[in-house]
Amino acid sequence: MKDSNKPTSKVRKFNYELELAKLHTELVHLQEWVKTQGLKVVIVFEGRDASGKGGTIKRFTEPLNPRVCKVVALGVPTEKEKTQWYFQRYTQYLPAAGEIVLFDRSWYNRAGVEKVMGFCTDEEYNEFLRSCPEFERMLVRSGIILLKYWFSVSDAEQERRFKNRISNPLKHWKFSPMDLESRSRWLEYSKAKDTMFAHTDTKQVPWFVVNSDNKKKARLNCISHVLSQIPYKRMKIDPIELPELPDYKSYVRPPMDYQTFIPEKY
């Protein structure tokens, strides 16, 4: 006999959309508060492959103005960048007053993939562990609100998502040779993450861990937590009145045949 008290997938989806809509409304108020108060916000998203970072970032930015809320997702460093001070590559993307910057992976690449895959020397890695906490304290002292989130996913759920990516042509782009190599170095990544936390989970800039086995819950929980970490006030939205169109009857526009319209296939 079917349990009548068990929520259906349709109900769960409806509740998710409803809660997300509520959070989106609050994010818009947060955005306006950041703009008017000249705040500078940095949010770092880290975690294992397929842990749900990208989906959360997408839902976070969905209702916001891209001129205010910007996403930074850097690729492989150039030869010039490899010779720079390590943090220099990231400081150029830090926010000005009234901006929110989301890092889809960040300077913590050195503590994770670079360490495990041998893309940096032991000396460079150890220097990062020493200097990163001070670098982040400098950001906070400069007036930046810095939040760091680690998305934690179980081995079984990660494997399920990997298999889904393999079988879904729309998600093949999410897979890289690095992802395949990472699976064979699971233990090394776990050790690197634990060491990273031991050095950089500080009182001034702590790590917040997001349980992301359920993607939808992870998105809601992360956005809700961000809202709780940045004190803001709901902004009064002034009513908007559309002005009347000016008199344009005296202007004769060119025939529409002069323009090239795309085919209306739908």
Side-chain angles (χ1 to χ4, degrees):
M1 182 176 179
K2 188 175 180 180
D3 185 358
S4 60
N5 293 323
K6 184 177 180 180
T8 64
S9 59
K10 184 176 181 180
V11 172
R12 286 199 297 271
K13 181 178 180 181
F14 170 78
N15 287 338
Y16 166 74
E17 298 294 344
L18 181 64
E19 293 303 317
L20 185 60
K22 293 177 182 177
L23 292 174
H24 277 174
T25 299
E26 294 304 317
L27 281 175
V28 171
H29 284 289
L30 173 65
Q31 170 187 257
E32 295 308 305
W33 183 256
V34 169
K35 281 175 54 180
T36 58
Q37 301 300 309
L39 302 182
K40 294 176 286 186
V41 179
V42 171
I43 306 177
V44 169
F45 292 83
E46 294 284 349
R48 287 187 180 274
D49 297 319
S51 61
K53 302 181 299 297
T56 301
I57 292 172
K58 184 182 295 184
R59 273 67 181 187
F60 191 103
T61 59
E62 194 172 26
L64 303 181
N65 184 341
R67 294 184 180 87
V68 176
C69 185
K70 304 174 183 180
V71 178
V72 177
L74 301 181
V76 178
T78 65
E79 290 303 315
K80 179 179 179 179
E81 288 172 333
K82 290 178 182 178
T83 67
Q84 295 174 341
W85 175 51
Y86 177 71
F87 295 101
Q88 186 173 342
R89 185 172 183 236
Y90 299 95
T91 54
Q92 61 184 310
Y93 297 102
L94 292 175
E99 292 181 346
I100 303 171
V101 175
L102 311 183
F103 279 94
D104 184 357
R105 295 198 182 277
S106 64
W107 46 87
Y108 281 101
N109 278 340
R110 175 138 296 178
V113 63
E114 290 191 19
K115 164 62 177 175
V116 174
M117 302 304 295
F119 295 154
C120 67
T121 66
D122 289 342
E123 182 181 0
E124 290 171 330
Y125 170 71
N126 291 327
E127 177 56 32
F128 172 83
L129 294 180
R130 284 193 295 267
S131 60
C132 182
E134 183 55 34
F135 169 69
E136 293 179 347
R137 282 191 284 266
M138 288 170 61
L139 296 183
V140 173
R141 289 197 300 269
S142 75
I144 289 176
I145 298 172
L146 176 58
L147 301 174
K148 303 186 301 188
Y149 291 95
W150 176 269
F151 282 69
S152 177
V153 62
S154 66
D155 302 342
E157 179 59 20
Q158 185 188 48
E159 183 163 353
R160 187 192 69 78
R161 294 177 187 176
F162 277 155
K163 289 180 178 178
N164 178 259
R165 289 182 179 182
I166 292 173
S167 62
N168 188 341
L170 299 180
K171 296 183 178 181
H172 280 180
W173 64 270
K174 292 186 175 183
F175 239 124
S176 69
M178 194 67 65
D179 295 330
L180 298 174
E181 182 67 25
S182 296
R183 277 183 61 81
S184 64
R185 305 196 184 201
W186 187 92
L187 181 59
E188 288 90 338
Y189 271 100
S190 295
K191 291 179 179 178
K193 179 258 183 179
D194 293 340
T195 301
M196 180 185 79
F197 265 50
H199 286 79
T200 63
D201 186 18
T202 62
K203 182 178 180 180
Q204 295 89 342
V205 191
W207 278 104
F208 297 109
V209 180
V210 181
N211 181 354
S212 63
D213 271 10
N214 185 311
K215 286 184 177 181
K216 291 184 176 180
K217 288 183 178 179
R219 295 165 188 165
L220 297 178
N221 288 331
C222 185
I223 295 173
S224 175
H225 189 267
V226 169
L227 291 167
S228 73
Q229 294 299 301
I230 306 175
Y232 69 98
K233 293 181 180 179
R234 277 175 151 256
M235 303 297 293
K236 181 181 178 182
I237 300 177
D238 296 327
I240 300 175
E241 294 185 9
L242 286 177
E244 293 185 5
L245 287 174
D247 182 12
Y248 58 89
K249 294 179 182 179
S250 60
Y251 174 67
V252 179
R253 302 187 65 184
M256 294 184 70
D257 291 346
Y258 287 9
Q259 303 176 51
T260 303
F261 286 85
I262 66 170
E264 294 189 6
K265 298 177 64 175
Y266 304 98

